């Protein structure tokens, strides 16, 4: 009986993982995927363990079914995280890449910052956290690309 429960759990977990859009952390990989699929990139600058608006953006918008389903079809998702707690520190190479991305796309240092890039990495537009529905947020993002 335990084996059946574990198998069912694994099957449903796998289905859930496949349907969700994967957040990339490597900028060059994101550009490559965007170019191959002719999609724009959504680059999110976040402080996952200290920035309250970043956490709200993640829970109220980015993790929702509406956002995930739309993003899977239209965008490549890239996250540049800047955690502060020692236990959450990123590998040095990733920290350096995120700093470079911030120097290029987030000169003001604001968090959260959501930047829409074309498939080659050219900035199209940006926004921050907004207390709106996921669909309204997607509309804000899509107006940048029209």
């Amino acid at each position: 009986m335990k084996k059946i429960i574990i198998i069912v759990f694994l099957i449903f977990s796998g289905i859930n993982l496949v349907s969700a859009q994967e957040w990339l952390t490597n900028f060059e990989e994101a550009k490559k995927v965007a170019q191959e699929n002719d999609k724009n990139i959504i680059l999110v600058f976040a402080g996952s363990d200290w920035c309250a608006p970043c956490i709200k953006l993640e829970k109220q918008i980015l993790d929702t079914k509406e956002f995930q389903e739309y993003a899977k079809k239209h965008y490549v998702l890239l996250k540049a995280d800047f955690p502060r707690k020692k236990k959450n520190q990123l590998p040095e190479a990733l920290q350096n890449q995120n700093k470079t991305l911030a120097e290029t796309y987030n000169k003001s240092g604001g968090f959260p910052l959501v930047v829409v890039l074309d498939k080659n990495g050219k900035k199209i537009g940006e926004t921050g956290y907004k207390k709106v529905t996921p669909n309204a947020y997607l509309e804000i993002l899509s107006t940048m690309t029209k």
Side-chain angles (χ1 to χ4, degrees):
M1 183 67 174
K2 286 183 182 180
K3 287 182 182 179
I4 292 172
I5 292 171
I6 292 170
I7 290 170
V8 169
F9 174 77
L10 291 173
I11 289 171
F12 284 108
S13 295
I15 290 169
N16 202 12
L17 291 173
V18 171
S19 66
Q21 169 78 26
E22 182 181 339
W23 283 90
L24 301 176
T25 56
N26 181 291
F27 183 55
E28 293 304 320
E29 181 183 350
K31 282 198 308 187
K32 180 181 177 192
V33 172
Q35 291 166 355
E36 289 172 355
N37 295 287
D38 196 30
K39 293 181 179 180
N40 290 325
I41 300 167
I42 292 180
L43 168 57
V44 177
F45 289 94
S48 63
D49 64 3
W50 59 270
C51 170
C54 300
I55 295 165
K56 285 181 181 179
L57 176 67
E58 184 116 5
K59 288 182 180 176
Q60 295 173 5
I61 306 291
L62 304 179
D63 286 347
T64 64
K65 182 179 177 182
E66 296 91 345
F67 182 88
Q68 290 290 319
E69 287 178 355
Y70 187 86
K72 185 176 184 178
K73 295 176 185 172
H74 298 93
Y75 298 106
V76 174
L77 301 177
L78 176 65
K79 189 170 286 181
D81 194 13
F82 293 83
R84 290 187 179 162
K85 294 179 182 173
K86 190 172 185 169
K87 69 178 183 175
N88 298 330
Q89 289 303 301
L90 303 173
E92 188 174 345
L94 189 52
Q95 288 181 38
N96 291 335
Q97 176 203 250
N98 290 352
K99 287 177 188 174
T100 301
L101 286 171
E103 289 167 1
T104 304
Y105 300 110
N106 189 2
K107 293 179 181 175
S108 68
F111 286 88
L113 181 67
V114 179
V115 182
V116 179
L117 309 171
D118 72 10
K119 62 186 175 185
N120 298 309
K122 181 181 176 196
K123 185 175 179 176
I124 297 172
E126 68 180 45
T127 189
Y129 169 72
K130 308 249 187 256
K131 191 174 182 175
V132 297
T133 66
N135 287 327
Y137 201 85
L138 287 164
E139 185 61 33
I140 292 166
L141 296 175
S142 66
T143 59
M144 294 179 202
T145 59
K146 292 179 182 177

